[in-house]
Amino acid sequence: MKRWIGVALAAVLVGVVVVAVLAGTRGAETVQPTVVRGVIGSEKEPFFDDPRVRAAFAAHGLRVEVDTAGSRQIATGVDLSRYGFAFPSSVPAAEKIKRDRKATTTYSPFYSPMAVATFEPIAELLTKAGVLNDSGKGYKTLDIKKYLELVTKGTRWDQLPGNSSYPARKRVLLTTTDIRTSNSAAMYLSAIAYVANRENVIGSDAEIAEIAPTLAPAVLDQGFAESTSEASFEDYLALGAGKTPMLVVYEAQYLSRVFAGDGAIRPDMRLVYPSPTVHSKHTLVPLTDAGTRVGELLTKDPELLGLAAQHGFRTTDPRAFADLVARTKAPAAADLVDVIEPPTYERLEKLITTIGSEP
């Protein structure tokens, strides 16, 4: 009798184990995240690669994977049928994608003013030349009009008065990424075009034809240009003023390293703001339902907004960014006023192709 009771109990235990295993398997299946793939501007790659960002998405049942490309390239040369969302770094590129893909909405979870990363000896020279000015609000501005005067004259660094700290033979030029593919270069072009066009956003082919010869040296005389903003910023950090005395950057690129306190921003490095500048509004275009969910979370989730601020972006909740600036004493402008809008995608494209055809 006892033997049969033991057999029965053993059978029951086996059944319980089998049920538990099956239930656990079914439970594991229900928590598998939805994979959504996006194509983004390279400057946002550190954000999406952050384990904390991945964990925040995972908490909402998403695994977000990304490829990178130049923001203008995303709008013109990437097969978007493979992706759940496209996330360029400007509104004009996003609007083109929205039209082409017949998307119904976009999300702009964060933005970054265009800025210039330079070095203290360069800043001193530009101040003496009247190109760099103190805003009186804790940051310095680079006068685009006076800068273009130096470009038009073909001024070289060793021709600046009193220059004993950087007697380089090269031209006084801001370094940008490749204007054919990269948004940061296009935003820079938007700012200098506004100034060259008598402080008006370009609005006609006639205006483009008039200002293109003035702008061409500022773009074409740089020589080789990196295709992504992340690559050019890494050069600035690693190679110094000899390679890149002045680099057009997203403010977020510079501030993210200040906030991280990782030693990448050395004591002689400086962040200044073009006057006028442009806000690069990082704009997500959802291409699937999962892509829509990514846009919603980036715009509304407090944890993701806080992490975006840590990566240097200004978000819809300005408190996190302001707290980081105060805590780290970062050289960030609190209230930029001299900000202009970029031209429409079509006008900017026309300007770029016209400059490219200049002799």
Side-chain angles (χ1 to χ4, degrees):
M1 185 68 177
K2 290 181 179 179
R3 179 171 175 272
W4 287 107
I5 292 173
V7 171
L9 287 172
V12 170
L13 286 172
V14 170
V16 169
V17 170
V18 170
V19 170
V21 170
L22 291 174
T25 301
R26 284 194 297 269
E29 290 173 352
T30 60
V31 298
Q32 289 299 311
T34 299
V35 178
V36 55
R37 194 161 195 84
V39 57
I40 65 171
S42 66
E43 71 290 329
K44 292 184 284 292
E45 187 175 19
F47 171 76
F48 280 97
D49 282 348
D50 189 329
R52 298 169 299 173
V53 172
R54 292 180 176 178
F57 279 123
H60 293 279
L62 295 177
R63 188 170 84 228
V64 179
E65 300 175 350
V66 295
D67 294 327
T68 62
S71 291
R72 292 187 62 255
Q73 187 180 13
I74 295 173
T76 58
V78 173
D79 179 9
L80 296 179
S81 65
R82 303 166 44 223
Y83 296 103
F85 65 91
F87 201 178
S89 305
S90 71
V91 173
E95 285 299 315
K96 183 181 190 309
I97 295 168
K98 181 183 176 183
R99 291 196 306 269
D100 291 350
R101 302 293 299 183
K102 296 180 172 56
T104 58
T105 188
T106 60
Y107 298 90
S108 297
F110 37 73
Y111 71 97
S112 182
M114 300 311 301
V116 174
T118 187
F119 300 85
E120 179 56 27
I122 303 299
E124 290 177 356
L125 287 173
L126 294 175
T127 300
K128 290 178 182 177
V131 179
L132 201 64
N133 302 299
D134 193 331
S135 69
K137 298 180 180 179
Y139 61 91
K140 292 192 175 183
T141 60
L142 188 145
D143 188 320
I144 291 294
K145 183 177 181 180
K146 292 183 178 178
Y147 162 72
L148 284 178
E149 290 173 359
L150 294 180
V151 173
T152 301
K153 294 174 183 176
T155 306
R156 300 179 184 274
W157 286 104
D158 62 357
Q159 294 174 330
L160 292 177
N163 180 2
S164 59
S165 57
Y166 189 72
R169 289 285 301 155
K170 68 171 82 175
R171 296 270 298 279
V172 177
L173 290 170
L174 285 160
T175 298
T176 71
T177 45
D178 191 334
I179 202 162
R180 296 169 297 178
T181 59
S182 175
N183 177 71
S184 60
M187 294 298 97
Y188 161 70
L189 182 59
S190 298
I192 63 175
Y194 177 88
V195 173
N197 195 36
R198 303 176 186 86
E199 299 191 345
N200 290 291
V201 177
I202 53 173
S204 70
D205 288 356
E207 290 174 345
I208 290 172
E210 181 183 355
I211 66 175
T214 300
L215 302 181
V219 175
L220 302 180
D221 291 357
Q222 295 178 48
F224 172 78
E226 293 285 354
S227 60
T228 68
S229 56
E230 198 63 18
S232 61
F233 187 60
E234 288 301 322
D235 275 356
Y236 165 80
L237 294 176
L239 303 178
K243 169 71 164 59
T244 313
M246 301 185 296
L247 175 67
V248 175
V249 297
Y250 297 103
E251 176 199 58
Q253 291 178 289
Y254 192 101
L255 292 184
S256 66
R257 308 306 285 264
V258 175
F259 294 161
D262 59 5
I265 302 300
R266 301 190 299 274
D268 67 328
M269 291 178 170
R270 297 289 181 269
L271 182 72
V272 301
Y273 294 88
S275 181
T277 189
V278 182
H279 282 163
S280 180
K281 299 176 184 176
H282 298 264
T283 305
L284 185 147
V285 184
L287 306 173
T288 64
D289 290 343
T292 297
R293 184 67 177 137
V294 172
E296 291 173 345
L297 288 171
L298 286 173
T299 306
K300 298 177 182 178
D301 183 74
E303 184 177 3
L304 285 168
L305 287 171
L307 289 168
Q310 290 182 43
H311 281 268
F313 296 108
R314 300 181 186 232
T315 73
T316 52
D317 179 6
R319 290 171 297 179
F321 181 86
D323 288 346
L324 284 164
V325 169
R327 192 172 77 236
T328 61
K329 296 181 171 58
D335 54 350
L336 286 167
V337 175
D338 195 5
V339 180
I340 58 111
E341 290 296 325
T344 64
Y345 180 85
E346 288 75 18
R347 293 293 183 205
L348 193 52
E349 188 73 13
K350 176 71 172 179
L351 178 59
I352 290 169
T353 55
T354 302
I355 287 174
S357 65
E358 284 290 313

